[in-house]
Amino acid sequence: MKKILSLILFLILCFGAFVSCDNETQTESSSESTQESISKEESAKEESALNIVTRDTFADAYESWIGWYYETGVLENNYHMFSYVKAIFDYEDFEKGIIEGREDCLTEVTEQTFEENFVLIVRGFSGHIRNADIYYTDFKKEDNYYTITYNTVCNILTEAPDAHDPFCDVCIIPKELCDNPNLEIKIIEKQYIFRGEKYSSPCEVYTKIHNVIGDEQTEQN
């Protein structure tokens, strides 16, 4: 009789240990599944945030005129995306650079413009889509140079690249951001490429840094 009771007691203990281990395994599995779900959700939110680009994203863009042919001397064999950047702090200097037939820009940039601003001339060849929406933003000082961000927004499926014509953009920058006419400027190029409707669908973002030195330039990915 004692042997039978001992056997029953042993079986009860073994069954209890088995149930306890099974519950622990299920708890660990459930915890890992929940953690994985949270991680995926956070990753999706982060990816989604990176792709949210609307017109409001560029609400603080500087006033600019895209494609003005200001200043002669763009070399035909210079096919860099950005071949020349110049800061002009004086209206007379700006006026001297206007090529024949483009005097209409004087109605946009006047002597009053230079009271609180300077003009940034950005020149080069297209190198990529120029019929995109273009915005200049974020002029700021780094260590021993300045940067300005050149943003292009396009739909890759509907806007064919225009990559051969020279261009010259004119951008108005507040003087409070810089008072040095001999500043070195690097251009940060950001491309926002939509495959759906612009400003209301996910987009891909690509960034390059252009070191512009006279008529030469280098690129850093």
Side-chain angles (χ1 to χ4, degrees), residues 120-170:
L120 200 64
I121 305 297
V122 182
R123 191 175 75 186
F125 282 80
S126 46
H128 71 88
I129 301 173
R130 280 291 287 182
N131 54 352
D133 298 340
I134 297 174
Y135 307 90
Y136 285 92
T137 61
D138 303 312
F139 182 88
K140 58 186 177 182
K141 190 177 188 307
E142 298 295 344
D143 295 332
N144 56 348
Y145 59 89
Y146 289 80
T147 63
I148 188 167
T149 303
Y150 171 90
N151 307 272
T152 60
V153 182
C154 69
N155 183 312
I156 195 65
L157 301 179
T158 61
E159 293 171 320
D162 176 14
H164 300 292
D165 294 333
F167 70 86
C168 190
D169 297 340
V170 177

Side-chain angles (χ1 to χ4, degrees), residues 178-189:
C178 177
D179 58 1
N180 177 16
N182 299 314
L183 67 166
E184 177 187 350
I185 302 173
K186 296 184 180 183
I187 296 180
I188 300 174
E189 178 191 359

